[in-house]
Amino acid sequence: MKSRKSSNAADAGGAMARLQAVTESPLHPPSRRYRGRFAPSPTGPLHLGSLLTAVASYLDARQAGGDWLLRIENIDPVREASGAESQILHALEQHGLHWDGPLERQWSRMSHYREVAERLRERGLAYRCQCSRSELASLGGQHPATCRHRPPAANLPSALRVDVGDRPIRFIDLIQGPQQFQLARDGGDFVIWRRDDLVSYQLAVLLDDLRQGISRVVRGVDLLDSTPRQIHLAMLLGEPPPDYGHLPVLVNRSGAKLSKQNLAPALDLSRARQNLHAVLTLLRLEPPPALRHEAVRTQLDWATPRWSLAALQGCRSLPMPERLAD
Ligand code: GLU
């Protein structure tokens, strides 16, 4: 068992070395078809911040002549708000954001996630852990990794944590620039399967990005810390991860990210043209003021060739506009 673990760890180390070599340069050959995605959790209706992410990932895919997929990330029934999925779909359609292919829902893929989590455990790369939140809080949120070698009581529910090793993970973010993370020092081994028997966000999102052949993920900078965890999982599975670009998030007057928790107002769908125009302005495309009276399709067609990730280089937050022009 021990030697099996070390040979698997060596495999993972090999994958890591390969990945580190390739992440210094563009990860995917230009010939690879562009596939992007928008992956909202159905925890509430879209607000201006989530529309900004949807529009940016849409424009990035369309400008490259690629696909833009829609995935509903409904892995947590407790956080799900009733009716949120249909509100999200309707809001996207009202803003002209039509996705390619069938809509996917993560809930239908639970058994696949479970199989992969179990496989990582069998390979000695993940282990059961019963540390409670309060225990971890008393350690400053840093998992001590002691349960790697201390099997927990079999009759109690446990999480599965993945061994993060001790090598740094480096990647070049397309918007935020070069990144380096040391997972062992930044939280340590992380959860891939939850104690309440649900998949973790990190595992589900990575598996779907790989399976759907997503070549580039464009999402909010609030998820930048998750990216090294997802890259680590891709390395353990021996697959190249997508490229990543992390967009600035919209913040309110006190600097907090717009979210359902801080009561970000849902998009007013009777003002889709103005919403879209506001987002194009925030994305620094400098749309002419008169464009806000044009149909959403016309606005998106205007924006597609002008879209540029470079305009947002290094930007992490954008103030929520006080009010949208009529
Ligand atoms: N489902 C996540 C959210 O709604 C986004 C996940 C991702 O884009 O990777 O915040």
Side-chain angles (χ1 to χ4, degrees), residues 274-322:
Q274 291 90 334
N275 298 336
L276 189 54
H277 189 271
V279 163
L280 299 181
T281 306
L282 286 162
L283 291 172
R284 303 186 174 158
L285 293 177
E286 301 179 3
L291 193 69
R292 70 181 182 280
H293 304 300
E294 301 293 339
V296 290
R297 180 77 267 137
T298 309
Q299 295 196 38
L300 289 171
D301 287 346
W302 177 89
T304 301
R306 293 172 171 82
W307 161 249
S308 156
L309 287 171
L312 300 166
Q313 275 316 298
C315 177
R316 288 187 166 238
S317 65
L318 292 166
M320 166 80 178
E322 291 287 312

Side-chain angles (χ1 to χ4, degrees), residues 37-41 43 71 73 201 205 209 217-220 222-223 230 257:
R37 49 66 161 189
F38 179 54
S41 305
T43 51
R71 181 164 78 224
E73 297 205 328
Y201 156 70
V205 78
D209 285 338
V217 169
V218 176
R219 63 184 173 194
D222 53 319
L223 290 167
Q230 292 163 24
K257 181 198 167 215

Side-chain angles (χ1 to χ4, degrees), residues 47 250-265:
H47 51 72
L250 273 197
V251 295
N252 63 20
R253 255 190 258 165
S254 43
K257 181 198 167 215
L258 230 57
S259 69
K260 212 164 49 72
Q261 288 73 21
N262 59 33
L263 307 176

Side-chain angles (χ1 to χ4, degrees), residues 115-127:
E115 259 165 48
V116 176
E118 203 39 46
R119 219 185 306 143
L120 289 171
R121 193 182 67 80
E122 282 165 11
R123 288 174 57 197
L125 300 169
Y127 59 89

